[in-house]
Amino acid sequence: DEVMVAPLIRTTISDDRGDEPCYDGYPASELINKGYEIPHVVGLLWDKRLISKQEAEIIKRIMMLSADHGPCVSGAYATILAACAGIGLSQSVAAGLIMIGPRFGGAVTDAGRYFKYAVDNKMAVDEFLAHMKKNVGPVPGIGHRVKSLRNPDKRVKELVGYVKSLNIKTPCLDFALEVEKVTAAKKDNLILNVDGTMAAVLVDIGFPIDSLNGFFILSRTIGLIGHWVDQKRQDSRLIRLFDYLVNYAAPKRREVPPLK
Ligand code: ACO
Ligand code: LMR
């Protein structure tokens, strides 16, 4: 007799029950043999959409430009610290990924959300900035610890230059660049950053807001794995912070009073 069971989960993106996985219905081998690439797989699994060659090229460039930014940023530093403590690859990478949040790398989704909100509501830049200040806080996608008007972020220039060279409408990117004009004039480092740039571009090519942080997470995972392997290859020692890097502001050593 057949037993009816209520399904525990429902999936709409992939199926592995045949001889190979199908992504949104398309067999992986057929995608490969017809010339599709990793960005197309991202399009199928994140947006159930077979993206165009041009969109795939944009995503490839976003991934290449954001794969790593050296050892000093929160994510890489956390992975390196873990690697040096003898922690395994997946946990060390997870430690780095956990750093991706509203200040570092994880501002993509919110940048996309608010730039889109402004464009959809035909807001002027000043109106947008007033709205953000009153209701949200720092504008996601704007600002950088070390990059500024005087020390521009070449990754941003490269991506903006490429996307603007294409024959596509980019309302979010155009708006984000207008925002930058105003914020960077107020303070030199309030430039459109990597998170904000990729967010605006990805909204312009139709990716869902909730998927946007995924682009930074995916790309930076390449770098985090690199940092773990690099430390392992060098057989690096345990890291312990040096005292001189700490401002010890706790009370001076004192006598413990008798217990009452
Ligand atoms: N919008 C409005 N004002 C800002 C913003 C912003 N996005 N960022 C900084 N400011 C202001 C601060 O309010 C502060 O003003 P004050 O001097 O009047 O108090 C001043 O600029 C300095 O702010 P700090 O927080 O000290 O700047 P810091 O260099 O530490 O911040 C950071 C860098 C964290 C990126 C910040 O600009 C920010 O939070 N941006 C939004 C989040 C974001 O986009 N993060 C992604 C960065 S790119 C990446 O990680 C790949
Ligand atoms: C990055 O890509 O990690 C950054 O833009 C953050 C930084 O501080 O360099």
Side-chain angles (χ1 to χ4, degrees):
D1 285 355
E2 274 196 18
V3 182
M4 297 290 283
V5 202
L8 191 59
I9 59 170
R10 175 170 184 267
T11 181
T12 72
I13 60 168
S14 68
D15 193 335
D16 64 306
R17 290 169 303 173
D19 55 353
E20 64 174 316
C22 288
Y23 305 144
D24 201 36
Y26 301 114
S29 65
E30 209 175 314
L31 289 166
I32 292 172
N33 293 320
K34 290 188 172 165
Y36 291 91
E37 303 199 26
I38 289 174
H40 295 100
V41 176
V42 170
L44 289 170
L45 293 179
W46 296 8
D47 197 22
K48 296 169 59 58
R49 180 158 69 95
L50 205 46
I51 59 174
S52 69
K53 244 185 185 170
Q54 190 177 63
E55 290 164 336
E57 179 63 28
I58 294 172
I59 289 169
K60 184 189 87 183
R61 287 171 184 239
I62 287 174
M63 289 179 64
M64 290 177 73
L65 289 169
S66 52
D68 195 47
H69 208 228
C72 300
V73 305
S74 308
Y77 180 59
T79 292
I80 290 171
L81 203 54
C84 293
I87 306 301
L89 175 59
S90 64
Q91 300 98 310
S92 296
V93 168
L97 291 177
I98 284 170
M99 295 303 135
I100 298 177
R103 293 182 178 166
F104 163 71
V108 193
T109 288
D110 278 345
R113 183 193 324 282
Y114 293 117
F115 289 151
K116 183 174 189 304
Y117 175 81
V119 169
D120 288 350
N121 290 288
K122 301 188 170 53
M123 286 171 106
V125 170
D126 286 340
E127 192 189 345
F128 172 69
L129 289 174
H131 172 84
M132 296 302 283
K133 193 168 185 172
K134 181 161 177 271
N135 304 294
V136 181
V139 181
I142 295 288
H144 199 278
R145 176 53 71 81
V146 296
K147 299 294 179 185
S148 65
L149 284 181
R150 275 168 303 162
N151 175 28
D153 194 329
K154 180 86 188 277
R155 301 170 295 176
V156 170
K157 303 288 171 210
E158 173 63 35
L159 186 59
V160 171
Y162 177 68
V163 172
K164 296 304 290 179
S165 78
L166 305 171
N167 198 13
I168 54 173
K169 283 213 167 74
T170 56
C172 270
L173 180 59
D174 297 343
F175 182 77
L177 290 165
E178 290 303 312
V179 171
E180 175 187 48
K181 278 188 195 155
V182 177
T183 54
K186 284 185 195 157
K187 202 163 177 287
D188 192 49
N189 71 327
L190 296 185
I191 54 161
L192 180 61
N193 61 37
V194 164
D195 284 23
T197 312
M198 67 167 90
V201 170
L202 288 162
V203 169
D204 283 332
I205 64 173
F207 269 88
I209 298 296
D210 283 325
S211 73
L212 300 186
N213 276 338
F215 287 88
F216 188 91
I217 294 169
L218 173 66
S219 313
R220 192 52 60 91
T221 297
I222 299 172
L224 298 180
I225 292 171
H227 285 291
W228 185 87
V229 175
D230 182 42
Q231 296 308 321
K232 195 78 183 159
R233 189 169 43 222
Q234 299 176 63
D235 204 12
S236 300
R237 294 177 69 203
L238 181 69
I239 293 174
R240 192 177 194 284
L241 221 53
F242 299 103
D243 287 351
Y244 63 78
L245 290 174
V246 177
N247 175 358
Y248 286 95
K252 283 226 158 36
R253 181 185 170 125
R254 51 185 163 166
E255 196 182 319
V256 179
L259 181 63
K260 275 192 253 180

